[in-house]
Amino acid sequence: MMKPTAVLLNPARGPLLVEEALLQALQEGWIAGAALDTHFRYPLPPEHPLWDMSNVVLTPHISGSSAGREFLPRVWSLLADNLKRFMAEQPLLNELSSAELVKVGVQ
């Protein structure tokens, strides 16, 4: 039901998704990409097709890592910096342009 331009984000649990359906959707262009902070198996085997997909971002289950003492200060600092930049009509930190997204296979 996702649009071909959609990117699936899963910071929760790998088994929430149907692995075969996700692989097919990514390979056949039904969706533009996926960002997966969790995987179907730990560790994800080296031969797993997700490793070779240019439209997939894999992270080691750290997307919600707020337990570190530096997490909140960094988040607030980034927000403050980006707010100043936005008000001054300067480029934002960590912002991806449409061209950059196309470059990594997300359209």
Side-chain angles (χ1 to χ4, degrees):
M1 294 181 69
M2 296 174 68
K3 295 179 181 180
T5 56
V7 176
L8 179 109
L9 305 174
N10 185 14
R13 295 285 179 256
L16 289 176
L17 305 173
V18 177
E19 182 177 16
E20 295 77 23
L22 176 61
L23 290 170
Q24 185 176 8
L26 291 165
Q27 291 166 338
E28 297 183 12
W30 298 353
I31 60 174
L36 306 171
D37 189 48
T38 59
H39 314 106
F40 305 96
R41 289 178 276 301
Y42 288 100
L44 195 61
E47 69 279 357
H48 198 284
L50 287 173
W51 288 116
D52 296 322
M53 293 183 173
S54 63
N55 58 345
V56 174
V57 174
L58 298 170
T59 58
H61 203 43
I62 57 169
S63 69
S65 181
S66 60
R69 67 174 180 238
E70 296 299 319
F71 179 78
L72 283 178
R74 287 171 122 176
V75 167
W76 290 117
S77 176
L78 180 61
L79 176 66
D81 286 349
N82 270 342
L83 183 57
K84 287 178 195 170
R85 287 169 174 268
F86 180 77
M87 298 299 288
E89 297 183 5
Q90 296 175 339
L92 302 180
L93 299 173
N94 299 328
E95 182 178 36
L96 292 175
S97 69
S98 296
E100 290 168 315
L101 289 171
V102 169
K103 216 184 289 184
V104 296
V106 179
Q107 301 173 358

